[in-house]
Amino acid sequence: MPLIALGLLVSLLLWVCTYRAICLLNSRCSAEWNCRLVTAAHGVLITCLSYKNGFIDNRWPFTDPGLPNTEFEVQIIILCLGYFLFDFSWCVYHGTEGFVMLTHHCASIFGLTAALILEVSGTDVIGVIFGAELTNPFLQLRWFLKETGQYRTLLGEINDLIFISLFAGVRIGVGGYFFYTEWTNERPLLLFKLGGSVLYMVSLVFMLQIGRFAVKKYSRMYREWKVRGKSHKRKDSYGNGAVNNVK
């Protein structure tokens, strides 16, 4: 346990120092810009490590929940927990996030800490982290595109489509199946089942917000497409009339 505590301290310092280094190198940008760079880096790194744990090392959360943690899982959890402690503190200090996001962070910190202390369910927790962090880089890219005035571009449209599809398919669809397997398996402790339930409820709230955004966005795009279609038809009709008059 002392080694784990030391590792967690090192992890926290790593993320804090990374943020401070980015702030020094990128001093012209805002604190939120630099923090989101750290968030994007964490999302990519943890997604890759979680992918290795599940798909290469065969620690499958759907069939192996509640098992004792492996050394690699402990390392992933320590690295991830250090980031969440940093980001939660940053969000509270700067007041940038609302209740739902802070609840998500608290539930993540609780689950990661419980897995470290109890030395079980690392597979389950990392599986949840994989699903959650898979969409994160696309969310951060959306914010950066907005800040730089490049959101209403082809890249912005593709990014939105990928983000919405991944969130609905992975966090809600696959996440719902994992939620079912976790509760129907007798091995995981109740607190992990409850923690997973909180995170899934938070994902449903996010999905509701994303769904409203998607309906509004694509309804507007459809209306604009219809208006452009009518405009083209009027131009074609006018052109044909002009040709007929000449004849």
Side-chain angles (χ1 to χ4, degrees), residues 1 4 59 66-70 73-78 80-81 107-129 182 189 191-192 195:
M1 190 59 68
I4 291 178
R59 298 286 289 185
L67 291 177
N69 304 337
T70 65
E73 287 174 339
V74 171
Q75 293 170 356
I76 296 175
I77 292 171
I78 288 175
C80 193
L81 181 55
S108 299
I109 291 171
F110 171 80
L112 291 164
T113 304
L116 277 182
I117 293 175
L118 299 176
E119 300 180 350
V120 294
S121 284
T123 304
D124 331 8
V125 171
I126 290 172
V128 172
I129 293 299
E182 183 81 0
L189 299 175
L191 63 89
F192 289 107

Side-chain angles (χ1 to χ4, degrees), residues 178-229:
F178 175 68
F179 176 79
Y180 168 78
T181 59
E182 183 81 0
W183 273 98
T184 54
N185 194 303
E186 296 180 357
R187 192 186 300 125
L189 299 175
L190 179 61
L191 63 89
F192 289 107
K193 295 180 178 182
L194 293 175
S197 300
V198 172
L199 282 173
Y200 192 68
M201 294 303 110
V202 170
S203 292
L204 288 176
V205 173
F206 285 148
M207 189 68 249
L208 178 62
Q209 297 172 348
I210 293 170
R212 288 175 177 173
F213 157 77
V215 169
K216 183 177 179 180
K217 174 186 174 74
Y218 293 112
S219 296
R220 186 192 72 246
M221 290 177 65
Y222 177 70
R223 289 194 299 269
E224 291 174 354
W225 174 76
K226 287 186 67 177
V227 170
R228 284 197 298 269

Side-chain angles (χ1 to χ4, degrees), residues 19 22-23 26 29-39 87 90-91 94-97 140 143-144 147:
Y19 169 70
I22 292 176
C23 287
N26 202 27
C29 294
S30 66
E32 184 172 5
W33 178 288
N34 294 328
C35 184
R36 285 182 180 270
L37 286 176
V38 176
T39 299
D87 196 56
W90 192 95
C91 291
H94 290 273
T96 57
E97 301 295 342
Q140 304 312 318
W143 187 89
F144 289 127
E147 288 295 300

